[in-house]
């Protein structure tokens, strides 16, 4: 068996398909986001502007967050000491879970090391606690949700994206006595569209199903206190389990779920992905705690981000660039070819100092490859105009069509 040849072939396939992933070598400039330094291919650091960070509100740069992390580091040290059960449960962890439960109007919350782990661990465990459970999953759900459903071993029914009629057909076809879970996202991060939460909850009540919503691209971003789309749409009380991340709008790291105390206690007690994992460092938890508290009372960052996202969409649309319809803070630009998407990304970085990663299969379906921009509160109008003008030049250079000006 020639193992090396097998591995070579696997990598060669990715290169041939134009979807071999290259990780950029950068350092962000503290307090100056979206400015950063790029080290890849340069003799020393080169200044760049970051356009694709999921630190949507630049809270990873906020003085309150950095200060809280520094204080915790000097107070209790670096690591947590182990799993929550053995030695890794600190007062910071307890405080943050109380804040997150309050954020979503739930009795309790549970921290995980990432949003991926919270989805995988919760969905796989939840269905094992419900004998005969069937999970209904939106076709565009994140890979972590798909992994959790697969690891549960229970039957799954995939409904067309945001298609309520199809979802109801699948629900109606199942045994009325079988436990059911409807798993979906609030903001779908590659297209930037939003789920019809109340309508899904109506179906859940009609067919006696639990609801599980992934709010990772919405927490911190929407609602008066940053509780997500479910808070904005006044639907949080209708959702059984709300899952979120601490590594995007909150700017640090981690994941969580919020739900009734009994559900949380069951996941805490049965989920291997929680039980056997070293808990988040207290310094990270302290930073998130400061971020959540700040965004509960401040809408300044959310408002500025939404203003900039709308402005960038308008600039791109006016320039004839194929910006996709998006009702959220996500600004996706359709390319439709993995090789071209990578080339555009490379030119933007090398020649214009604009960093945006191409999004290829399997993150999006083949033929829908795109560039995904996430302007933050600190991106200026000048930055957006420079980016748009660069894209127009590259589109022309690569003989790609622009739409007629509106």
């Amino acid at each position: 068996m020639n193992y090396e040849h097998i591995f070579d072939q696997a990598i060669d396939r990715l290169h041939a398909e134009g979807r071999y992933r290259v990780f950029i070598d950068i350092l962000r400039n503290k307090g100056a986001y979206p400015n950063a330094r790029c080290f890849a291919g340069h003799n020393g650091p080169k200044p760049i502007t970051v356009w694709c960070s999921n630190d949507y509100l630049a809270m990873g740069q906020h003085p309150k967050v950095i200060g809280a992390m520094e204080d915790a580091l000097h107070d209790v040290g670096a690591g947590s000491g182990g799993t929550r059960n053995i030695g890794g449960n600190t007062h910071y962890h307890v405080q943050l879970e109380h804040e997150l439960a309050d954020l979503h109007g739930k009795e309790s919350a549970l921290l995980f090391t990432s949003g991926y782990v919270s989805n995988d661990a919760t969905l796989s465990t939840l269905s094992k606690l419900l004998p005969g459970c069937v999970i209904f999953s939106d076709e565009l759900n994140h890979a972590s949700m798909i992994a959790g459903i697969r690891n549960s071993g229970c039957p799954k029914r995939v409904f067309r994206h945001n298609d309520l009629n199809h979802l109801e057909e699948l629900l109606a076809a199942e045994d009325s006595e079988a436990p059911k879970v409807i798993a979906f996202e609030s903001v779908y991060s590659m297209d930037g569209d939003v789920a019809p939460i109340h309508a899904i909850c109506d179906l859940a009540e009609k067919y006696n199903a639990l609801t599980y919503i992934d709010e990772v691209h919405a927490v911190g971003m929407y609602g008066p206190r940053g509780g997500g789309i479910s808070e904005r749409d006044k639907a949080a009380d209708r959702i059984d389990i709300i899952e979120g991340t601490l590594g995007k709008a909150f700017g640090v790291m981690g994941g969580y779920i919020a739900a009734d105390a009994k559900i949380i206690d069951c996941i805490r007690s049965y989920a291997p992905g929680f039980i056997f994992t070293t808990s988040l460092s207290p310094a990270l938890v302290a930073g998130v705690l400061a971020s959540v508290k700040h965004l509960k009372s401040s809408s300044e960052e959310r408002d500025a981000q939404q203003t900039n996202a709308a402005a960038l969409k308008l600039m791109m649309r006016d320039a004839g660039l194929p910006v996709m319809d998006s009702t959220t803070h996500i600004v996706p630009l359709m390319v439709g070819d993995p090789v071209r998407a990578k080339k555009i990304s490379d030119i933007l970085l090398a020649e214009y100092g604009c960093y945006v990663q191409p999004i290829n299969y399997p993150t999006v379906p083949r033929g829908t490859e795109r560039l995904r921009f996430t302007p933050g509160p600190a991106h200026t109008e000048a930055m957006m105009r420079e980016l748009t003008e660069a894209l127009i030049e590259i589109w022309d250079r690569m003989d790609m069509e622009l739409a007629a000006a509106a």
Side-chain angles (χ1 to χ4, degrees):
M1 177 65 69
N2 188 337
Y3 294 107
E4 186 174 354
H5 179 64
I6 293 172
F7 296 140
D8 283 341
Q9 284 185 317
I11 296 300
D12 287 345
R13 284 196 299 272
L14 294 177
H15 280 292
E17 294 172 12
R19 60 186 186 93
Y20 179 77
R21 298 180 183 222
V22 178
F23 297 159
I24 193 170
D25 182 1
I26 68 170
L27 289 173
R28 296 199 290 178
N29 299 330
K30 176 188 170 184
Y33 177 83
N35 297 314
R37 293 154 281 165
C38 179
F39 292 84
H42 307 295
N43 184 19
K46 173 187 175 182
I48 63 169
T49 302
V50 178
W51 282 101
C52 56
S53 175
N54 283 343
D55 185 359
Y56 294 131
L57 303 179
M59 290 302 296
Q61 305 289 309
H62 199 284
K64 287 183 181 178
V65 174
I66 294 171
M69 294 180 72
E70 289 175 339
D71 290 345
L73 183 65
H74 292 293
D75 184 27
V76 301
S80 68
T83 65
R84 294 283 293 276
N85 181 56
I86 293 176
N89 193 65
T90 74
H91 188 55
Y92 291 115
H93 292 80
V94 174
Q95 283 182 299
L96 180 54
E97 286 174 341
H98 284 315
E99 286 289 340
L100 292 169
D102 173 74
L103 177 65
H104 296 292
K106 299 298 183 184
E107 291 179 344
S108 192
L110 189 66
L111 283 176
F112 294 84
T113 51
S114 73
Y116 190 105
V117 174
S118 55
N119 270 332
D120 186 1
T122 304
L123 284 167
S124 61
T125 302
L126 181 68
S127 52
K128 288 176 181 177
L129 292 169
L130 301 170
C133 179
V134 179
I135 296 186
F136 299 80
S137 175
D138 189 288
E139 67 176 343
L140 294 189
N141 276 344
H142 189 264
S144 57
M145 301 175 77
I146 295 170
I149 295 167
R150 182 186 301 117
N151 291 337
S152 74
C154 71
K156 72 172 180 179
R157 307 288 182 258
V158 179
F159 60 94
R160 291 185 292 272
H161 178 52
N162 281 348
D163 189 329
L164 298 171
N165 291 331
H166 189 214
L167 173 58
E168 182 161 22
E169 287 175 15
L170 295 174
L171 286 164
E174 293 299 325
D175 181 353
S176 61
E177 298 302 314
K180 303 173 185 67
V181 176
I182 303 173
F184 62 105
E185 300 184 37
S186 61
V187 173
Y188 290 86
S189 65
M190 292 302 127
D191 290 358
D193 58 341
V194 173
I197 298 178
H198 278 293
I200 290 175
C201 289
D202 289 342
L203 290 177
E205 292 174 3
K206 181 177 179 179
Y207 292 95
N208 194 24
L210 293 176
T211 47
Y212 181 101
I213 190 169
D214 176 315
E215 287 257 42
V216 298
H217 291 277
V219 290
M221 302 294 294
Y222 299 92
R225 302 194 306 157
I229 298 293
S230 58
E231 182 193 22
R232 184 198 72 177
D233 293 354
K234 296 179 173 56
D237 61 326
R238 304 187 69 190
I239 302 290
D240 294 295
I241 301 175
I242 296 175
E243 185 267 349
T245 184
L246 307 170
K248 292 184 170 60
F250 292 127
V252 189
M253 181 182 178
Y256 67 92
I257 58 170
D260 290 347
K262 287 184 180 179
I263 292 177
I264 295 297
D265 199 20
C266 281
I267 302 301
R268 181 189 70 87
S269 302
Y270 283 91
F274 172 80
I275 296 170
F276 299 106
T277 301
T278 298
S279 66
L280 288 167
S281 158
L284 293 172
V285 179
V288 176
L289 186 59
S291 183
V292 172
K293 286 181 176 180
H294 176 80
L295 290 175
K296 278 183 175 180
S297 59
S298 172
S299 292
E300 179 182 347
E301 295 81 6
R302 285 189 284 275
D303 293 344
Q305 198 283 330
Q306 290 289 337
T307 297
N308 285 347
L312 183 60
K313 290 176 196 176
L314 183 60
M315 282 187 197
M316 289 183 173
R317 193 169 290 116
D318 286 347
L321 291 162
V323 61
M324 300 169 60
D325 290 334
S326 165
T327 59
T328 63
H329 58 283
I330 309 294
V331 184
L333 192 64
M334 179 59 69
V335 178
D337 176 83
V339 175
R340 280 184 163 180
K342 178 66 166 62
K343 187 174 181 180
I344 296 168
S345 171
D346 289 345
I347 294 172
L348 280 171
L349 182 62
E351 299 184 23
Y352 292 96
C354 295
Y355 169 47
V356 61
Q357 276 284 21
I359 306 295
N360 297 328
Y361 177 85
T363 306
V364 295
R366 297 180 195 274
T368 68
E369 293 82 6
R370 66 202 64 176
L371 302 175
R372 177 183 174 274
F373 298 90
T374 54
H379 284 93
T380 65
E381 182 179 351
M383 289 176 180
M384 289 188 273
R385 293 205 177 280
E386 288 172 7
L387 171 65
T388 302
E389 289 168 4
L391 287 166
I392 293 170
E393 188 279 320
I394 296 169
W395 242 252
D396 180 66
R397 187 193 312 187
M398 295 178 62
D399 295 322
M400 296 168 66
E401 290 188 9
L402 294 170

